[in-house]
Amino acid sequence: MNWRYFYKPAAIVITIVFFNINCRSGSKATVDSVEYLNKAASSPDTNKIDAKNQPELNTDHSNNNVPLKNIFGINGYEWNFLENPGSPNDRRHIYEDNMSLIKTFSGMRHYLNWNRVEITKGNYTFNPTNNGGWNEDLIYQRCKQDGILVLADLKNIPDWLQNTYPASSRDNDNAPVPYGQSLNDPASYVDQARMAFQLAARYGYNKNIDKSLIKVDTRKRWNGDIPNEPLVGMGLLKYIECGNERDRWWGGDETHQTAEQYAVNMSAFYDGNMGKLGQGVGVKAADPNMQVVMGGLATADIKFVQRMIDWCRTNRGLKADGSVNLCFDVINYHLYSNNGDVRKQKKATTGIAPELSISGEVANQFVKLANSLPGHPEVWVTETGYDINQESYQKAESIGLKTVLANQADWILRTSLLYIRYGVKRVFFYQLFDDHAGGTSQYATSGLAEGIKRRPAADYILQTTRLMGNYNYIKTISNDPLVDQYKLGNKTMYVLTIPDETNRKASYTLDLGGAKKANIHNLKIGADMMDSKQVNTTNGKITLEVTETPVFVEGLN
C-alpha cells in the first residue's frame, strides 16, 4: 500500500525547496491576516491518558540533570539567519530581526544540504558556499555566541552524486552511494564520510589535524570574490547528524535503506568504518569527541535501532569494557502527535494533544533501550509539531474559544513537558517558519514564527525559558491534572496542566510545603514574560483552577 500521504513524502521535500524561494523573498502573510474559525469540541466526553502513556508518579528523576530549556529546539535553514528581505543578496551578515526569533530557542537543527558545501566532488566550501553563497561560519559563530546549540544535519546527496544514476532514478534523497555500488559495503559511503570529516575538522574542537587532509576549495568564483579559507578546530559544533529519515518507505527504490544498510552507512560516517577507509574519512577521525547523531527515524521504530545495534555487535565488535562498538552517540527519532500510528502506518486525520497520542509510550521505549546500553546514549526527538492549516492531517484544531494558534501553543509547550518526563534530552520543533504559508499539505504550516513576529507557541517557549529554563524536572505528583515538580538549587516550581483537548478544567489543591505565599505565573500570548500574581496560602496550600494551558506555581517563604 502507498503510505506517502502519511508522512513527509519526496514530493513534499520538493515543495519545501520551491516555496522557500517565496519565504526568502519576504512574501509571508502576517499573523493578523490569518483568521481561523473556532470550533467547539464536538464531544463533551473527557479524554483520559492511556495507562501506557502515563508517567510514573513520585519517581525521582533529579539525576537526569537536563534543564527544561534543552527541550526547546527548532529546525531551520541558512536563509533563516542570513537573508534580509531588504537586502536579499547580502549573505555576509546576520539578519537581526530573524536572529531575535531564533534566540527564543536553545537549539537549532540546521538542515545542511550536502550540495551546498560540496557542489563539485572533493571541493569543499563553507564561507562562502559555492552553492548559494551562504556563510556557514558566521551562522555557527553567532549561535555559539548566543548560547544556541547547533545540530548540523548533513542531508540529501549532491548533484554530482545524483548524476551517477540513470535520469529516471535521480533523487537527492537517494542513499549516499554512487549508482551501482552496494549499500552493504562501508566503502560505498566513503564520499559522504569524507564530507563528514571536513565538517568535523573545520567546526569541531580538535586543532591537531594534519592540514594536508583539509580540502577546502580556495578558488574565487569571480574577481573580487572572497575565497574560502582552510580552517580547523573552530570550536563551533559538537553534534553532526547523518542524513534524515533513512528508514523512509516512500520514494523510489534508490532512496531506501534497511536498518543494516543504514548501520553500514553510519559506520563509515562515524569513524571511517573503524579507520578501515583510510585517512580523512569519518567524523571521529577529525574530532574524536564530536558526537554523531543518528539520522532522525521517520517510523519511530525501536526495532530499527536494535537491528543497527545488532549489526554493530557483529561487524564492529565489542570494546574493551565489553560494550558494543556502536556507530552513533545519540539515538534520534521523529514523531508527530496525531490520531494515527506511524509504527503501524495507520493513517492520521488530525493532530491531537501530545498526552493522548503514542508519544509517551514511544519515548519510554527509546529511553529504556538507551539506558540498557553501557554508554547510555542520549535520546533526542528532532522533529515534532503541528500545522495551523485545517486541511492538514497534522493540524492543531481550535478548542472552545481558543484559536488554532493558541491551541498550537498549548500543544507545543505540553510536548516539551511530556518528553522531559520520559528522559528525552533534546527536542527540536518543526520548524521556525512555514514551508508554505497557507499550504494544505502536512508540515507546510508548522512554523513557530511568521514574518518577524513570534507565533503564540514561540511566546510560550520564550516565557517558560525566562521563568524556569534552567530548572530540572524532578517528578510528577499527579496524572490528572498533570502536576510536575521542577527544581533549581533550593527553588521549586510546579507546572500544572489538564492533559486533554476538550476545554476541560479542574480544581486542584497544591501543597507548597508550608509556604505562606505563592507566585502564580500564567502564559500570555504576545508577551515576553508571563503574567504573575502573588497570593496567600492556607496552611501552605492553594487551590487552583487548572486548564489545558499550563500554569506555573512557586511557593514563597
Side-chain angles (χ1 to χ4, degrees), residues 55 417-418 420-421 473-478 482-486 493-497:
L417 298 176
L418 179 149
I420 201 168
R421 289 185 200 109
Y473 168 71
I474 303 300
K475 61 184 176 181
T476 297
I477 62 175
S478 169
L482 280 164
V483 182
D484 298 326
Q485 183 189 75
Y486 288 78
M493 186 78 69
Y494 293 91
V495 186
L496 298 85
T497 315

Side-chain angles (χ1 to χ4, degrees), residues 498-516:
I498 295 293
D500 211 335
E501 54 181 29
T502 60
N503 202 27
R504 182 161 62 93
K505 301 175 177 65
S507 178
Y508 184 82
T509 299
L510 179 64
D511 188 345
L512 294 171
K516 295 181 178 181

Side-chain angles (χ1 to χ4, degrees), residues 10 14 162-172 174 179 251-255:
I14 294 170
Q162 281 191 65
N163 291 336
T164 66
Y165 288 79
S168 60
S169 58
R170 288 175 189 164
D171 190 325
N172 67 2
N174 284 352
Y179 179 71
D253 290 344
E254 291 82 1
T255 68

Side-chain angles (χ1 to χ4, degrees), residues 78 81-83 90-96 99 110 126-129 133-146 150 202-203 231 234 236:
E78 285 90 352
F81 291 88
L82 298 177
E83 196 155 84
D90 177 10
R91 296 176 177 178
R92 288 184 279 175
H93 298 90
I94 294 291
Y95 178 36
E96 295 297 339
M99 195 66 213
H110 173 210
F126 304 97
N127 174 25
T129 62
W134 306 108
N135 187 334
E136 310 292 358
D137 293 0
L138 179 60
I139 292 170
Y140 297 157
Q141 286 166 342
R142 183 58 182 272
C143 284
K144 183 176 182 179
Q145 173 187 317
D146 289 344
V150 175
R202 187 177 187 88
Y203 296 121
L231 299 171
M234 295 179 70
L236 301 177

Side-chain angles (χ1 to χ4, degrees), residues 188-204:
S188 300
Y189 300 91
V190 70
D191 292 323
Q192 186 199 43
R194 289 193 180 109
M195 178 71 253
F197 174 88
Q198 297 295 327
L199 271 176
R202 187 177 187 88
Y203 296 121

